[in-house]
Amino acid sequence: GSTDKVRLHFINRDGEKYSVAAKEGESLLEVVINHNINIDGFGACEGTLACSTCHLIFEKAAFQQLDEISDDELDMLDLAYGLTDTSRLGCQVCVKKWMDGLTVQVPTEVSDVRRELEVEKQN
Ligand code: FES
């Protein structure tokens, strides 16, 4: 029933808010994809820890409750623009029950390594 769902809110770059009912265990990248949340360039590497376009900013209290960050995620996160103290990569964060009502912010700038490479290829 609806009690299995975890309400999550995404604030997009333009300030637009998307509210979705996510499933426990989905990654935040999967939530964005499954709910067709229109975040330009998000999740370019499909969760393979190769792009940092899934950068999301958390509320401090929530950030402290997230699972520990892996070295690989940390390395990739270092490449993200607009890094904050409460930044994580959405493809590495899974939805948990306690996240019900959580709001995450999409950073205004995104370092889309892959897109830059594509542009290079086209030129
Ligand atoms: Fe590329 Fe998360 S989707 S690092």
Side-chain angles (χ1 to χ4, degrees), residues 43-108:
C45 78
E46 295 169 345
T48 57
L49 266 182
C51 73
S52 86
T53 62
C54 61
H55 177 199
L56 291 170
I57 299 167
F58 289 78
E59 295 157 357
K60 195 160 193 174
F63 180 81
Q64 288 164 346
Q65 290 183 71
L66 297 175
D67 288 342
E68 216 163 305
I69 190 162
S70 70
D71 287 345
D72 288 343
E73 182 182 348
L74 213 52
D75 286 347
M76 194 45 62
L77 203 50
D78 270 344
L79 303 175
Y81 288 165
L83 193 64
T84 74
D85 287 345
T86 59
S87 291
R88 290 291 299 262
L89 292 179
C91 67
Q92 303 301 304
V93 174
C94 286
V95 176
K96 301 269 170 64
K97 272 255 149 57
W98 64 260
M99 292 180 186
D100 197 41
L102 180 75
T103 299
V104 292
Q105 173 80 47
V106 179
T108 35

